[in-house]
Structures are given as C-alpha cells and as structure tokens.
C-alpha cells in the first residue's frame, strides 16, 4: 500500500498535488510520503508481533534523509548502519545508538572507534581480521565491543546478481564451516562480547521460502552457539522485496493501464509482510532469542517518487526518445541493476493513445535511461512525470556526475509538503575545491 493516487486526473501524494510541488521546488525532485513509510513500518511490525521480543533496525542506506530517520525513530525503529557517517545521521535525527547494528565488510578503525564510544547495540562482523581489529580498537578506548558474526548460509534467493548476498561466492559474511571457530576466537578476546548472530541473503526478494530456508539452515549452529556462548539475538537481515511494476489508482475511473487498482501490484508478484511473517515466525521462534529485522527497501521503496520534466522529443529511424531533466546520476537503479520504475504523468492526458519510447536523461552515457521500448502516454515538452517507487536506493545513490547538483527532497505529511533537503547550488558543487598556485 502507498499513498500516491490520481484524483480528478492529477497525481497526488497523500493530500498534496505533485504538480504543485514540482512548480514550487522545480524538477527533478524527490518526494516522499510520511504516511506510507509509517504504514510500512507498522504493518511489518504488527505482522511480526507474535515473536514477542523483536527489533526492527531500518537499513538506512536505502534512504537516509534526516526527516525519514526521525520519523522512523519516533516509531521506535532501530537502524542498521554501514558507516560512521550513517551513525552520525542517526544521532542528528534523534535516533538512539543503542538501537543500531553496524554492518559492512570494510569498517575502518575510525568508524569502529566512533561507534564504540556512542554505544551501539552490535557490530556485525564480516571477517576474522575485522574481529581482531574491533578487539584492538576496543582495547585502546577501554571498552568492550558487542558483536554478532554475519554468517553466510549459502542459500540461493532469486534476485538480480548485483544484490544477491547469501551465496558462498559473495563477499559477505563468514561461511557456515568457519563460523563456530570464529565464535571460539571471539570468546577468547578480552575486548569482545558475543551478543548475537546475523545473516542477510540479499535484496528485492519476492518469495518468502528462501528466508525461512536460511533460518532453518542456521538453526543447529545458532542453538549450539547459544548454549556455548550465550547469544542474545538473531538477526534475519533485510531483503523483503517490493513491487515495481503495475497499474496505479485513478479514483474510480480506470486509467490507461487499466485496472483501477490502488496499489502498484501486479501478477501476484509481491511479498506481503504477512506472508513473509507467516513463513519465518515458526523457525525464528524455535531459536528462543530476540529477533532483529533489517528491512530497507520494504520501508521506503514505494514511499518515494522522482518528479521530472520532459525537455525534448527526438526520433531516429528506429527509436522515439523522450528526454527528461533527471538523469542516471539522480536515480541509478535502471543503469546499475536493470531497475524498473513505472512512469506516470502528473496529469492524465485526455487522449489515451500510447506510444513506444525510450525515456532518457541528459547525462553523456548510453546507460542513462529510465525506460526502454516502453508503451506510455504521449508526452510533450514541459509535461511532468513521476518515476514511481524511487524511495529506496534513489537519492542516496545520487552523484554530481556531469556537474549536476544534488536534488531537493520533499516530505509530504497529509496536506503539508516540507522541503527536507534543498537543491544544491553550483557553489555547493565546487565547495572544498581549489586550484593550486
Ligand atoms: C542492504 C542491507 C539490508 C537492507 O536490504 P533491503 O533489501 O533494502 O531490505 C539489510 N541488512 C544488510 C546487512 C544490508 O547490507
């Protein structure tokens, strides 16, 4: 469920008309729905409530705007962080360090030092060398570091190869065969305290069984480690996928793709939180531990859109191009992992004619496209469109490639739209640079 729909032919986010947001802040711009983020969090948490002791640690790399973090902190969310900078953001947004887990294969001594002093809940250790480093840094600061080992269960989850993490060929985690030895080593280190075990099999997974399979595969090890080292938690990671393809609501009239369904859901290809929960609750309960979840995309993915304007049209003998003012530097998902985003005009055209086009950005790269050979309504220069489901791995992955300033971000809450990040200026682009002389 999300809060974007057509009302009288105009696309709205909650009670706010997206075209008026575009007029206010210009395009391109990201817009997020507070209600959708909150609902996603609450719905997942409710589905998992039979577990009792649990903590959702939002994987903030998906969208780390301070307003988003603040909203989730107020919901009681913890945070899964992957850098010292992300912890800094959590603290600035009013989140608590003791509800943060620290993931990532390349934690620096500086990051570890900062996280230790702030008192994070757990370092999720990705290698034996990292464990030694954490022990060493903790010794220097005179603290004991709480840790979990990220164990790679070697299960295959159907997703794009760039976002699969739970196979033994991936760079993440420690193999099942090594895990017990790493815990032995951890037990012997003076500045390490064993707290849990973590796993994460990948991202954008739309089937529940691989999650349960990972838990079942790890269960004997978890129970053994629990008896030996006194584990307190098990983290099942993130990865619950969202629907990127499908028709959008149109009040009561059927819109150009047809169904009048109010959500972006198609082909039953969707992992509802209740379905996910039904599959994982039993195997997780059997562990008798506090359970952590690290959803990123599920919380924010369908809560954001990227607004962009049509600049030009251009035809070659084989293609029709629609050139828009957003580029791959603003939203890299299509170029990076063939990500699909539905394209919705901010005003439904009267004429329901469709044409097959490539929607491309201004960046000097052939990978700079948002759609290829896609049937969409006929667009003219000046028309504005929304690239749907851009709330996760959108703005956070943006760069200033081609000297294009970073975009503004707007948070909608009911009837109110707040600019929660201003558009960068050209001066921002060169801040910190200098010509020697
Ligand atoms: C990226 C990541 C997540 C979140 O993944 P989503 O697919 O966005 O839910 C959770 N845990 C870890 C360790 C990650 O690296």
């Amino acid at each position: 469920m999300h809060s974007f729909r057509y009302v009288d032919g105009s696309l709205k986010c909650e009670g706010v008309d997206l075209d008026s947001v575009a007029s206010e802040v210009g395009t391109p711009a990201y817009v997020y729905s507070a209600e959708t983020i909150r609902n996603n969090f609450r719905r997942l948490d409710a589905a998992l409530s039979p577990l009792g002791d649990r903590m959702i640690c939002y994987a903030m790399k998906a969208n780390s705007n301070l307003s988003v973090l603040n909203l989730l902190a107020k919901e009681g969310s913890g945070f899964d962080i992957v850098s010292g900078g992300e912890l800094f953001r959590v603290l600035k947004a009013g989140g608590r360090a003791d509800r943060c887990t620290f993931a990532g294969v390349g934690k620096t001594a500086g990051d570890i030092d900062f996280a230790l002093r702030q008192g994070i809940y757990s370092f999720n250790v990705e290698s034996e060398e990292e464990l030694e480093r954490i022990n060493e840094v903790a010794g220097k600061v005179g603290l004991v570091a709480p840790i979990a080992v990220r164990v790679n269960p070697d299960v295959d989850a159907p997703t794009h190869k760039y976002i699969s993490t739970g196979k033994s060929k991936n760079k993440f985690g420690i193999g099942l065969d090594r895990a017990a030895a790493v815990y032995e080593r951890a037990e012997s280190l003076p500045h390490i305290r064993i707290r849990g075990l973590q796993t994460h099999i990948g991202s954008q997974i739309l089937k529940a069984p691989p999650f349960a399979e990972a838990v079942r595969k790890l269960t004997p090890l978890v129970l053994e480690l629990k008896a030996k080292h006194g584990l307190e938690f098990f983290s099942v990671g993130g990865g619950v996928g969202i629907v990127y393809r499908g028709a959008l609501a149109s009040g009561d009239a059927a819109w150009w793709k047809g169904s009048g369904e109010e959500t972006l859901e198609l082909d039953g290809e969707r992992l509802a939180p209740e379905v996910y929960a039904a599959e994982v609750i039993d195997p997780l309960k059997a562990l008798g531990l506090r359970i952590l979840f690290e959803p990123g995309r599920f919380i924010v993915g369908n809560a954001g859109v990227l607004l962009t304007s049509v600049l030009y049209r251009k035809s070659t003998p084989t293609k029709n191009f629609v050139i828009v003012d957003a580029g791959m530097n603003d939203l890299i998902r299509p170029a990076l992992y063939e990500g699909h985003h539905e394209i919705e005009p901010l005003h439904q055209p009267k004429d329901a004619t469709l044409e097959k086009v490539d929607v491309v950005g201004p960046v000097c790269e052939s990978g700079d496209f948002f759609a290829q050979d896609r049937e969409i309504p006929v667009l003219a220069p000046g028309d504005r469109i929304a690239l749907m489901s851009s709330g996760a791995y959108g703005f956070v992955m943006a760069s200033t490639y081609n000297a294009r300033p970073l975009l503004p971000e707007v948070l909608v809450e009911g009837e109110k739209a707040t600019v929660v990040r201003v558009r960068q200026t050209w001066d921002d682009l060169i801040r910190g640079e200098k010509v020697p002389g």
Side-chain angles (χ1 to χ4, degrees):
M1 295 277 244
H2 60 72
S3 308
F4 296 88
R5 53 185 50 84
Y6 285 104
V7 178
D8 298 330
S10 297
L11 189 58
K12 295 232 182 196
C13 173
E14 302 187 27
V16 170
D17 184 51
L18 285 172
D19 199 46
S20 63
V21 174
S23 298
E24 185 103 352
V25 300
T27 58
Y30 278 97
V31 182
Y32 309 128
S33 157
E35 177 180 68
T36 308
I37 297 172
R38 212 175 275 127
N39 283 347
N40 287 342
F41 180 88
R42 288 182 186 171
R43 190 168 159 199
L44 180 63
D45 192 48
L48 297 168
S49 64
L51 283 170
D53 191 9
R54 66 195 183 281
M55 179 159 77
I56 294 180
C57 293
Y58 164 61
M60 62 178 282
K61 70 176 191 282
N63 185 328
S64 61
N65 184 280
L66 293 184
S67 68
V68 171
L69 303 182
N70 174 262
L71 189 161
L72 286 164
K74 284 186 188 147
E75 289 294 308
S77 184
F79 298 94
D80 183 53
I81 62 172
V82 291
S83 70
E86 285 199 343
L87 179 54
F88 173 77
R89 280 187 169 276
V90 168
L91 300 173
K92 288 289 176 194
R96 281 166 44 177
D98 65 358
R99 295 176 76 79
C100 286
T101 54
F102 193 164
V105 298
K107 302 176 191 76
T108 66
D111 285 346
I112 296 166
D113 182 292
F114 177 55
L116 261 173
R117 291 176 198 271
Q118 295 302 323
I120 64 161
Y121 181 67
S122 177
F123 289 91
N124 294 340
V125 175
E126 299 251 11
S127 68
E128 298 171 60
E129 290 189 13
E130 185 197 329
L131 178 66
E132 304 292 332
R133 174 66 51 82
I134 293 173
N135 180 58
E136 190 185 302
V137 176
K140 273 191 200 141
V141 255
L143 290 169
V144 173
I147 65 109
V149 174
R150 175 169 178 175
V151 180
N152 187 329
D154 195 22
V155 299
D156 211 358
T159 188
H160 191 273
K161 61 180 189 271
Y162 287 2
I163 50 178
S164 158
T165 62
K167 288 288 289 171
S168 58
K169 65 175 186 224
N170 298 126
K171 71 176 175 183
F172 299 99
I174 289 172
L176 264 173
D177 54 328
R178 286 291 305 155
V182 175
Y183 276 92
E184 286 295 333
R185 177 67 186 154
E187 187 71 64
S188 75
L189 294 170
H191 306 289
I192 295 289
R193 174 158 86 87
I194 294 169
R195 190 162 221 173
L197 187 144
Q198 196 266 359
T199 195
H200 173 69
I201 57 174
S203 198
Q204 184 53 15
I205 297 164
L206 288 162
K207 304 255 179 291
F211 294 102
E213 188 197 335
V215 179
R216 288 206 175 86
K217 218 166 154 185
L218 292 170
T219 297
L221 174 71
V222 172
L223 295 178
E224 182 197 318
L225 295 171
K226 185 181 163 193
K228 230 181 190 168
H229 306 290
L231 301 188
E232 168 183 313
F233 78 89
F234 174 81
S235 172
V236 66
V240 175
I242 64 163
V243 173
Y244 283 99
R245 293 166 195 267
L248 188 56
S250 176
D252 38 22
W255 170 226
W256 57 278
K257 270 171 298 186
S259 68
E261 272 292 304
E262 68 163 10
T263 52
L264 283 171
E265 289 163 9
L266 201 70
D267 301 337
E269 193 199 80
R270 139 173 204 266
L271 182 49
E274 294 78 16
V275 173
Y276 168 76
E279 192 83 22
V280 296
I281 279 176
D282 282 348
L284 287 173
K285 258 191 176 162
L287 301 177
L289 295 170
R290 155 183 286 185
I291 305 296
L292 268 56
F293 297 86
E294 304 162 2
R297 188 189 315 268
F298 174 78
I299 303 289
V300 291
N302 67 358
V305 296
L306 173 55
L307 305 183
T308 179
S309 301
V310 176
L311 294 174
Y312 305 108
R313 299 175 54 93
K314 170 172 168 170
S315 293
T316 70
T318 51
K319 289 261 196 191
N320 293 315
F321 292 99
V322 170
I323 301 164
V324 297
D325 63 359
M328 66 186 288
N329 68 298
D330 304 310
L331 176 64
I332 203 174
R333 293 192 66 263
L336 187 60
Y337 17 63
E338 301 168 308
H340 177 99
H341 294 274
E342 290 291 340
I343 290 172
E344 303 286 354
L346 299 195
H347 294 294
Q348 294 171 323
K350 306 256 172 313
D351 176 358
T353 314
L354 303 184
E355 63 173 349
K356 194 188 266 189
V357 296
D358 280 21
V359 178
V360 302
V363 172
C364 305
E365 298 280 345
S366 295
D368 183 28
F369 61 84
F370 296 114
Q372 290 179 308
D373 295 320
R374 179 114 44 108
E375 296 249 319
I376 60 170
V378 179
L379 296 170
D383 286 351
R384 290 163 173 166
I385 57 177
L387 297 166
M388 304 304 292
S389 303
S390 303
Y393 307 106
F395 181 89
V396 285
M397 283 189 163
S399 76
T400 58
Y401 185 41
N402 280 207
R404 292 166 50 81
L406 293 177
L407 305 189
E409 294 173 283
V410 174
L411 183 72
V412 168
E413 173 95 67
E415 309 282 315
K416 193 167 139 220
T418 308
V419 178
V420 291
R421 180 186 185 107
V422 297
R423 187 185 302 280
Q424 274 194 337
T425 64
W426 286 346
D427 278 322
D428 292 330
L429 283 181
I430 58 167
R431 186 147 300 134
E433 288 184 45
K434 87 186 213 185
V435 179

